[in-house]
Amino acid sequence: MVVSKQLQTASRLLAGDAFDSRCASRPIMDQVTTRWGTLIIAALITGPHRFSALHQRVGGISQKMLSQNLKALVRTGLVERTVEPAVPPQVTYSLTELGESLAEPLCALLGWFGANTAAMVAAQQRHDALAPR
Amino acid sequence: MVVSKQLQTASRLLAGDAFDSRCASRPIMDQVTTRWGTLIIAALITGPHRFSALHQRVGGISQKMLSQNLKALVRTGLVERTVEPAVPPQVTYSLTELGESLAEPLCALLGWFGANTAAMVAAQQRHDALAPR
DNA sequence: CGGAATCCCCGTGGATACTG
DNA sequence: CAGTATCCACGGGGATTCCG
């Protein structure tokens, strides 16, 4: 494979990092790559969203998980929370610069999933057919 | 932002997909982006690995989780399991072509984490300093 | 509207021990 | 060596209710 060349170098950069269980990136990675983190970031790419807008957009998430994840993302500096004093209260979430820079590779990943999900589902079915029960 | 242009189009491709809670990609994404999935794939980029090698390399993972994740990844068609008849038994795991194509965007993401973890940790500390307790 | 708080359940995931 | 099996604890995460 041609790609493996670049990939090997890329992975070596991480060898002493991400694979170490006591690495600082672990908890952060967990937070972002967790089920909802990815989708929330992705949802914010198109621009600022209000709480309820996100709630609808992400689909399937509970308010609890949404607010929880948002808080964590704000803390990590990926998302910015903006409160506009008004009645009723109006809160807007948007990506910080850091968050936008994350969105790039993240989008690539999501794009890959969009393109290859069908193949993977097929693989699963093939696999299940061979190993009944 | 200049990037937001491309990102918007990219995310729109997913709008009807990944954000729908009943989308087929959800469970698969969960499986890959789960805590260990990412690292296992990444570990396999440098080439085939045996079970125990992976166990050491990933660092912090239990055999249970490793074998469990590997089984799932094999089922999804991302990883191939090769048994060489020998005593003692010798099993090797390697990426399939599909798995390698996934590794590309995944590596980009891991690379981003490697480069930006420091900034995020700093952001967290800043945040925590402001909100005592 | 945008959450915080409480309750509760079930799955994830670790430790340990056993098998082929 | 490469797993599988069993037990068990913790916390992720959903539903509901209440607050500013």
Side-chain angles (χ1 to χ4, degrees), chain A residues 50-52 81 89 91 93:
Chain A
R50 299 183 52 177
F51 187 88
S52 51
R81 183 189 136 113
V91 182
Y93 293 92

Side-chain angles (χ1 to χ4, degrees), chain B residues 19-78:
Chain B
F19 291 123
D20 188 346
S21 57
R22 299 166 315 170
C23 175
S25 67
R26 277 283 184 92
I28 295 185
M29 269 205 54
D30 287 1
Q31 176 198 129
V32 175
T33 66
T34 202
R35 173 139 71 141
W36 302 117
T38 309
L39 292 175
I40 294 178
I41 301 272
L44 285 175
I45 289 170
T46 55
H49 282 67
R50 300 184 49 178
F51 188 88
S52 50
L54 279 174
H55 191 14
Q56 290 187 329
R57 185 116 204 286
V58 172
I61 194 174
S62 61
Q63 313 103 316
K64 178 186 176 181
M65 282 302 104
L66 181 55
S67 88
Q68 192 171 293
N69 276 277
L70 282 172
K71 249 195 297 185
L73 290 171
V74 167
R75 190 174 95 97
T76 322
L78 293 171

Side-chain angles (χ1 to χ4, degrees), chain A residues 3 7 112 116, chain B residues 78 95-106:
Chain A
V3 280
L7 292 179
W112 185 91
N116 297 92
Chain B
L78 293 171
L95 290 181
T96 62
E97 270 200 39
L98 195 63
E100 280 200 23
S101 76
L102 165 60
E104 220 166 342
L106 207 56

Side-chain angles (χ1 to χ4, degrees), chain A residues 3-15 19, chain B residues 42 45-46 103-104 106-108 110-111:
Chain A
V3 280
S4 57
K5 267 287 190 175
Q6 330 163 359
L7 292 179
Q8 280 190 22
T9 60
S11 87
R12 257 186 225 114
L13 290 175
L14 308 160
F19 291 123
Chain B
I45 289 170
T46 55
E104 220 166 342
L106 207 56
C107 257
L110 282 171

Side-chain angles (χ1 to χ4, degrees), chain A:
Chain A
M1 302 295 142
V2 185
V3 280
S4 57
K5 267 287 190 175
Q6 330 163 359
L7 292 179
Q8 280 190 22
T9 60
S11 87
R12 257 186 225 114
L13 290 175
L14 308 160
D17 243 10
F19 291 123
D20 187 347
S21 57
R22 298 166 314 169
C23 176
S25 67
R26 277 284 184 89
I28 295 185
M29 269 205 54
D30 287 1
Q31 176 196 129
V32 175
T33 65
T34 203
R35 172 140 72 144
W36 302 118
T38 310
L39 292 175
I40 293 177
I41 300 273
L44 285 174
I45 289 169
T46 55
H49 283 68
R50 299 183 52 177
F51 187 88
S52 51
L54 279 175
H55 191 14
Q56 291 186 329
R57 186 115 204 285
V58 173
I61 194 173
S62 61
Q63 312 102 318
K64 178 188 176 180
M65 282 301 105
L66 181 55
S67 87
Q68 192 171 295
N69 276 278
L70 282 172
K71 246 196 300 185
L73 291 172
V74 168
R75 189 174 95 97
T76 322
L78 294 170
V79 169
E80 188 173 14
R81 183 189 136 113
T82 315
V83 185
E84 277 158 69
V87 182
Q90 186 151 333
V91 182
T92 308
Y93 293 92
S94 57
L95 291 181
T96 62
E97 271 201 37
L98 195 63
E100 281 200 23
S101 76
L102 165 60
E104 219 166 341
L106 207 56
C107 257
L109 189 64
L110 283 171
W112 185 91
F113 275 105
N116 297 92
T117 294
M120 300 169 95
V121 172
Q124 290 185 342
Q125 290 174 346
R126 239 178 294 125
H127 184 91
D128 293 349
L130 294 178
R133 160 83 224 106

